[in-house]
Amino acid sequence: MAVFETEALVLRSYNLAEADKIVVCLSRSTGLIRGVAKNCRKLKNRFGASLEPFTLINLTYFEKEHQELVSFSQTEILRSRFNLSSDAAVLSGFSYMGDLLMDFSPPRQANDNLYRMALACFEAVSQSPSDLEWVLRYFEVWLLKLEGFLPDLRTCANCHKAFGGDEPLYLGSDLSLRCASCSAGRGTVISKQVHQQLRATEKLSPPKFAEETRGVPAETREALAQLTYKLISRVLERTPRARPTFVTS
Ligand SMILES: [Zn+2]
């Protein structure tokens, strides 16, 4: 039996038997892990409130060979999000991010960039809940990028010319981005404004991205939201389970 300690973000928990829970976490050192927290639903238990979704914890767990579920032995809260528990929009946004992390992360594969990006997004919304929409777009773009599904935003997939100017770009059915002449007008149109938003995520932190793009017109925001939704649905081969309430179509 091996014992491990890692920082982890609680994504979801399910009741198991009378007093236990199955908890899904994104951990820094092991990636996505599923574990059992014994007796955690009893009034007095060693886990306290640490296993509430979206809490950042220090987790000690052990695992036995050939068992998918690990056993949680100790937790310590590093950052709780109780202050946001009554904000329905934030909770729905957090659930959406949590679901996507579970969908995109292969079990037990550490991905430090993904872990840090996710944490930065949860933190940015915690600090400034009104930035939720921007942070979700940022999260979606980076999730796609870090998992290798974001098209090259700099050059045409066909002629390799750098994108620039005012011409729209076209997203092909193979999820690659082409210039107007290579695509011959086929594919999903990506406006210059949406392209600029995508590029901005590459250079900025989540709070900076929110700050710098607050003035972007509703039309562009909607187009970006639809684009990321489309890309994610294509990768998953279905629509995401949860969907942020403000995405209208
Ligand atoms: Zn081209």
Side-chain angles (χ1 to χ4, degrees):
M1 196 167 70
V3 180
F4 301 90
E5 196 183 327
T6 178
E7 194 184 287
L9 181 66
V10 177
L11 299 181
R12 189 184 275 197
S13 62
Y14 311 85
N15 291 343
L16 177 73
E18 269 176 31
D20 309 340
K21 263 184 181 175
I22 290 184
V23 183
V24 187
C25 289
L26 187 71
S27 70
R28 185 183 279 267
S29 64
T30 326
L32 197 71
I33 44 175
R34 288 181 163 79
V36 179
K38 283 257 176 218
N39 292 324
C40 71
R41 282 154 63 210
K42 292 202 169 146
L43 204 53
K44 277 191 176 173
N45 75 81
R46 64 186 186 283
F47 299 111
S50 64
L51 300 175
E52 289 300 313
F54 320 121
T55 307
L56 182 67
I57 57 174
N58 228 338
L59 168 68
T60 309
Y61 67 92
F62 53 90
E63 64 179 6
K64 290 179 190 155
E65 250 186 288
H66 311 303
Q67 285 197 357
E68 196 222 325
L69 291 173
V70 304
S71 294
F72 287 15
S73 64
Q74 218 179 324
T75 54
E76 177 201 346
I77 295 181
L78 299 176
R79 182 92 166 82
S80 69
R81 317 223 184 252
F82 298 132
N83 58 323
L84 297 165
S85 59
S86 60
D87 190 323
V90 165
L91 286 183
S92 129
F94 279 178
S95 296
Y96 175 71
M97 291 199 284
D99 273 2
L100 288 183
L101 287 168
M102 289 190 277
D103 286 334
F104 277 76
S105 313
R108 305 208 196 184
Q109 272 185 36
N111 183 336
D112 200 51
N113 287 334
L114 180 70
Y115 181 81
R116 283 187 293 121
M117 185 281 288
L119 213 57
C121 288
F122 277 93
E123 202 49 44
V125 176
S126 303
Q127 295 294 331
S128 177
S130 59
D131 286 344
L132 177 66
E133 178 181 344
W134 306 116
V135 175
L136 288 180
R137 295 294 87 75
Y138 184 97
F139 174 85
E140 291 167 333
V141 173
W142 270 97
L143 181 71
L144 287 160
K145 186 181 165 90
L146 292 172
E147 296 294 335
F149 297 111
L150 190 72
D152 183 352
L153 300 176
R154 292 156 197 254
T155 57
C156 170
N158 191 53
C159 69
H160 306 295
K161 258 194 282 185
F163 294 134
D166 289 337
E167 283 194 349
L169 311 174
Y170 293 82
L171 180 74
S173 53
D174 59 351
L175 300 188
S176 67
L177 216 48
R178 289 180 167 78
C179 68
S181 58
C182 287
S183 66
R186 283 191 302 269
T188 306
V189 180
I190 310 292
S191 70
K192 184 189 167 194
Q193 290 77 11
V194 168
H195 185 232
Q196 278 172 345
Q197 293 286 290
L198 291 167
R199 289 297 305 273
T201 63
E202 292 189 315
K203 296 172 230 157
L204 304 168
S205 65
K208 273 275 165 211
F209 176 72
E211 191 185 313
E212 295 207 0
T213 54
R214 258 178 225 135
V216 166
E219 196 179 285
T220 306
R221 290 157 53 179
E222 183 66 27
L224 178 63
Q226 290 198 14
L227 174 66
T228 51
Y229 193 73
K230 184 175 183 153
L231 288 170
I232 287 167
S233 305
R234 284 282 290 283
V235 173
L236 295 176
E237 297 181 331
R238 59 170 169 78
T239 53
R241 278 191 294 269
R243 179 163 209 198
T245 45
F246 51 79
V247 178
T248 51
S249 54

